[in-house]
């Protein structure tokens, strides 16, 4: 991962994290008028431009289906930045950014599109730096193989006078078979070092901080195992619904959309062994080993250890929201899951016997993403005659909202006798370093331009993720869900989800009203 510098002083709290200047190249965005480009890519590119992160020889060529020209594309991207960025761009700053924007209207299923693309890139390549090409696949996954073949036929896969890299968005296939087929097609044309499979969760500074917390502190790493940890929770709950992704989401569902990538990535970072070095191959190898160690479920185990749900109508923040089946473009009899909870077991020396509980859902009571590591109780309580049971320690790594880490422990309550209470030590990422964290896509775009694959997934890693969820998908295809919808919008999910951890005497952390005790030093 490229180095970043924190420029913060006591007088400059809240400044942005300073990012480096990237090499010159031509960035080609396939799907340039789509939702991902408008919401994420273009606002991130705009911010990077404002931070002077681009070489003077840096061009952006959007490729889309609409018949537009450079000026029309620039105006559309200005509106996107105004809507999804940080307000209307100032005229002078916008003009300098707009000069970098170009557009090609083309049908990506036609051979001629790639010949036109090659000619357009040749026109832009007045400077040698623009012979470097980064192709970004902001398109549905089923279109990716066609683009690969088109680039090959037009000679754009060759590294002739510069480097060539591709960025492939998730979902990387729909299942293990399609992921293998896509990997095979990529390997046929590109070297693995040229392929960057993006998972934007990995671009978050707080997600990367998992490794620093685990392997940079002797206080925690020796107890990060089955001898001291009782169970682990990984939660990604969202109060929002499918929004304008209805058509995509109804053919995908929560398991494919969240578990098969984002949440399994959090699992690997939480459970991996120490890499021999902090470099891309060492880190990714240890992540793959975790996925290979996840116990594959039988159909009977899927029924026992996995629960799916779909939200009905309800209220969130006092406003009525419709049920999933009532949303426009959703089949009124859809069986797509908007919630999934599962228990995974990692069968290796470090984690044997420790359950990992994962849950994610739409239209839940709160938006929160966190990893909660629950430690075992002390083997013997010397306070049991005066204070009953002392609560076990919990380490919570928060990614959304209020990025940071909290550690709960027991302390004596002031006064006579021995009575303990849970207290909390908090680390807030932005407050501690005095910086505003960059968006994940900003980090990942720079890394792809600089050729750093640390925060991108490897071919075997993607396939290993699909191997974990494949038995679940197969079991679900064999039997339709019963009782959908089974949770109200604005709730913590299906009530039945509580049975997964309850079988071992565990419980989910509530999404609302979480009581971890007062922060250390605070009054009760």
């Amino acid at each position: 991962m490229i180095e970043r510098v924190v420029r913060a002083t006591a007088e400059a709290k809240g400044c942005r994290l300073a990012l480096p200047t990237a090499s010159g190249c031509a960035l080609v965005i396939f799907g340039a008028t789509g939702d991902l480009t408008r919401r994420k890519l273009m606002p991130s590119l705009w911010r990077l431009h404002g931070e002077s992160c681009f070489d003077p020889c840096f061009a952006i060529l959007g490729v889309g289906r609409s018949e537009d020209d450079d000026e029309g594309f620039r105006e559309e991207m200005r509106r996107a930045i105004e809507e999804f960025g940080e307000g209307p761009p100032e005229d002078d700053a916008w003009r300098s950014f707009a000069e970098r924007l170009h557009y090609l209207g083309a049908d990506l299923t036609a051979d001629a599109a790639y010949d036109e693309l090659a000619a357009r890139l040749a026109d832009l390549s007045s400077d040698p730096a623009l012979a470097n090409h980064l192709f970004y696949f902001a398109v549905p996954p089923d279109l990716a193989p066609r683009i690969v073949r088109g680039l090959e036929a037009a000679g754009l896969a060759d590294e002739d006078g510069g480097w060539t890299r591709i960025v492939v968005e998730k979902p990387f296939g729909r299942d293990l078979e399609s992921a293998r087929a896509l990997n095979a097609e990529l390997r046929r044309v590109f070297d693995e070092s040229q392929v960057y499979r993006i998972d934007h969760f990995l671009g978050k500074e707080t997600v990367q901080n998992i490794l620093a917390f685990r392997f940079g502190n002797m206080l925690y790493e020796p107890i990060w195992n089955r001898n001291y940890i009782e169970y682990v929770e990984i939660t990604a709950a969202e109060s929002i619904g499918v929004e304008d992704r209805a058509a995509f989401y109804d053919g995908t569902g929560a398991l494919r959309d969240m578990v098969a990538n984002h949440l399994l990535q959090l699992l690997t970072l939480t459970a991996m062994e120490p890499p021999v070095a902090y470099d891309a191959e060492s880190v990714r190898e240890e992540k793959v080993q975790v996925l290979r160690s996840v116990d594959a479920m039988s159909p009977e185990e899927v029924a026992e250890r996995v629960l799916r749900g779909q939200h009905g109508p309800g209220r969130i923040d006092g406003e009525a929201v419709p049920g999933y089946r009532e949303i426009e473009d959703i089949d009124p009899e859809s069986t797509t899951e908007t919630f999934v909870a599962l228990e995974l077991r990692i069968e290796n020396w470090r984690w044997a016997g420790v359950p990992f509980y994962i849950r994610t859902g739409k239209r839940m009571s709160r938006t929160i993403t966190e990893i909660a590591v629950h430690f075992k109780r002390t083997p013997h309580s010397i306070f049991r005659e005066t204070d009953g049971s002392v609560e076990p320690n919990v380490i919570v790594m928060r990614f959304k909202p209020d990025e940071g880490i909290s550690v709960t422990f027991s302390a004596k309550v002031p006064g006579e006798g021995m009575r303990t209470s849970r207290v909390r030590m908090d680390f807030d990422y932005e407050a501690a370093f005095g910086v505003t964290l960059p968006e994940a896509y900003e980090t990942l775009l720079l890394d792809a331009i600089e050729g750093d694959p640390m925060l991108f997934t490897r071919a075997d890693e993607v396939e290993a993720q699909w191997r974990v969820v494949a038995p679940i998908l197969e079991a679900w295809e064999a039997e339709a869900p019963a009782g959908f919808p089974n949770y109200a919008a604005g709730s913590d999910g299906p009530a039945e989800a509580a049975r997964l951890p309850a079988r071992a005497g565990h419980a989910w952390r509530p999404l609302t009203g979480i009581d971890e005790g007062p922060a250390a030093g605070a009054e009760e």
Side-chain angles (χ1 to χ4, degrees):
M1 184 178 61
I2 55 181
E3 183 179 357
R4 291 161 179 83
V5 181
V6 176
R7 295 176 185 162
T9 65
E11 295 77 30
K13 293 292 184 182
C15 67
R16 278 177 57 84
L17 190 69
L19 301 173
T21 300
S23 305
C25 76
L27 168 60
V28 178
I29 303 176
F30 297 112
T33 57
D35 191 60
L36 175 63
T37 301
R38 296 182 70 254
R39 286 177 175 270
K40 296 295 183 181
L41 298 183
M42 202 54 63
S44 294
L45 290 166
W46 163 248
R47 285 189 291 268
L48 291 173
H49 171 81
E51 294 289 321
S52 301
C53 292
F54 293 139
D55 186 273
C57 295
F58 183 84
I60 302 167
L61 175 59
V63 182
R65 290 177 296 179
S66 63
E67 295 181 3
D68 211 339
D69 57 16
D70 290 357
E71 289 306 316
F73 179 62
R74 289 165 181 167
E75 184 57 34
E76 184 176 352
M77 293 303 101
R78 182 184 179 113
R79 290 193 296 268
I81 289 169
E82 183 172 350
E83 183 177 359
F84 301 110
E86 297 160 352
E90 297 180 3
D91 288 342
D92 289 343
W94 172 252
R95 276 192 291 270
S96 65
F97 180 66
E99 290 174 355
R100 300 183 185 273
L101 298 179
H102 309 272
Y103 184 76
L104 173 64
D107 177 4
L108 292 175
T109 64
D111 293 340
Y114 301 93
D115 294 329
E116 294 174 19
L117 174 59
R120 192 65 185 276
L121 286 172
D123 291 341
L124 292 175
S125 299
S126 57
D127 189 285
L130 291 176
N132 298 325
H133 297 152
L134 179 64
F135 297 104
Y136 199 112
F137 292 22
V139 296
D142 57 355
L143 192 54
R146 180 66 187 90
I147 295 176
V148 170
R149 294 192 295 272
L151 293 175
E152 178 190 28
L156 292 173
D158 302 330
E159 295 190 299
D160 184 13
W163 50 257
T164 299
R165 301 183 187 120
I166 63 171
V167 178
V168 184
E169 267 285 348
K170 73 99 176 169
F172 195 85
R174 282 187 50 80
D175 50 28
L176 179 56
E177 182 179 356
S178 60
R180 283 173 172 163
L182 181 51
N183 273 334
E185 184 68 8
L186 292 172
R187 280 194 298 268
R188 190 183 63 78
V189 178
F190 296 98
D191 185 80
E192 176 66 20
S193 64
Q194 296 176 273
V195 181
Y196 290 71
R197 299 168 189 82
I198 194 168
D199 184 328
H200 74 267
F201 260 44
L202 295 180
K204 297 176 183 290
E205 289 284 337
T206 45
V207 171
Q208 300 164 44
N209 192 47
I210 298 173
L211 298 185
F213 180 79
R214 285 193 55 197
F215 302 126
N217 295 288
M218 194 62 179
L219 183 63
Y220 301 114
E221 178 54 25
I223 59 172
W224 208 262
N225 56 56
R226 60 184 172 80
N227 296 321
Y228 299 94
I229 292 175
E230 179 75 14
Y231 66 102
V232 178
E233 281 182 78
I234 301 175
T235 295
E238 296 177 293
S239 60
I240 63 170
V242 297
E243 309 304 319
D244 49 8
R245 301 169 68 224
F248 163 80
Y249 194 91
D250 202 42
T252 303
L255 186 68
R256 287 186 172 98
D257 190 46
M258 290 292 291
V259 177
N261 37 73
H262 301 328
L263 300 188
L264 286 182
Q265 284 295 314
L266 295 184
L267 174 79
T268 62
L269 294 171
T270 305
M272 64 185 277
E273 295 296 322
V276 296
Y278 188 63
D279 59 58
E281 287 311 301
S282 299
V283 171
R284 296 196 292 183
E285 181 61 31
E286 294 303 336
K287 289 164 62 184
V288 170
Q289 293 302 327
V290 172
L291 295 168
R292 289 173 179 166
S293 300
V294 174
D295 187 27
M297 296 188 207
S298 66
E300 293 75 23
E301 288 173 322
V302 170
E304 185 70 20
R305 292 163 48 188
V306 184
L307 176 74
R308 52 182 157 168
Q310 186 188 90
H311 76 79
R315 303 188 70 85
I316 297 178
D317 295 330
E319 294 187 8
V321 297
Y324 179 74
R325 293 175 174 178
E326 301 167 8
I327 298 171
E328 185 178 357
D329 295 329
I330 298 295
D331 182 346
E333 297 183 357
S334 173
T335 58
T336 297
E337 80 283 358
T338 62
F339 174 95
V340 61
L342 63 158
E343 175 196 332
L344 296 179
R345 299 277 179 161
I346 299 174
E347 297 300 335
N348 62 19
W349 191 273
R350 181 184 289 261
W351 296 111
V354 178
F356 284 73
Y357 303 111
I358 296 175
R359 61 174 167 170
T360 183
K362 296 285 188 184
R363 287 300 190 195
M364 299 183 74
S365 59
R366 181 185 180 194
T367 294
I368 183 170
T369 303
E370 68 175 28
I371 300 170
V373 180
H374 297 256
F375 287 81
K376 294 183 177 181
R377 295 183 181 276
T378 55
H380 174 70
S381 175
I382 64 173
F383 309 122
R384 64 183 184 275
E385 293 184 1
T386 59
D387 194 37
S389 176
V390 177
E391 292 298 317
N393 307 114
V394 182
I395 294 176
V396 178
M397 293 174 278
R398 300 184 307 274
F399 311 109
K400 186 190 297 184
D402 306 322
E403 297 93 335
I405 299 173
S406 67
V407 180
T408 63
F409 60 97
S410 295
K412 180 184 180 298
V413 176
E416 294 185 4
M418 174 56 70
R419 187 167 64 88
T420 62
S421 177
R422 299 175 77 190
V423 295
R424 186 178 71 247
M425 291 191 300
D426 270 335
F427 157 68
D428 182 276
Y429 211 99
E430 291 192 9
F433 292 107
V435 294
T436 300
L437 301 178
E439 293 290 330
Y441 276 101
E442 297 175 45
T443 298
L444 294 169
L445 283 165
L446 288 179
D447 281 357
I449 294 169
E450 289 303 290
D452 188 339
M454 173 75 80
L455 304 180
F456 298 84
T457 53
R458 212 167 60 182
D460 57 344
E461 189 175 351
V462 168
E463 293 181 19
Q465 288 178 160
W466 280 116
R467 274 195 295 270
V468 172
V469 301
I472 303 173
L473 291 171
E474 292 171 3
W476 285 359
E477 289 172 1
E479 185 175 354
F484 275 11
N486 59 357
Y487 71 99
S491 70
D492 280 10
E496 192 183 358
R499 71 171 172 80
L500 295 182
R503 291 179 303 133
H506 306 146
W508 298 108
R509 285 163 52 84
L511 298 182
T512 54
I514 291 176
D515 180 14
E516 295 177 320
E523 294 183 3
E524 288 195 274

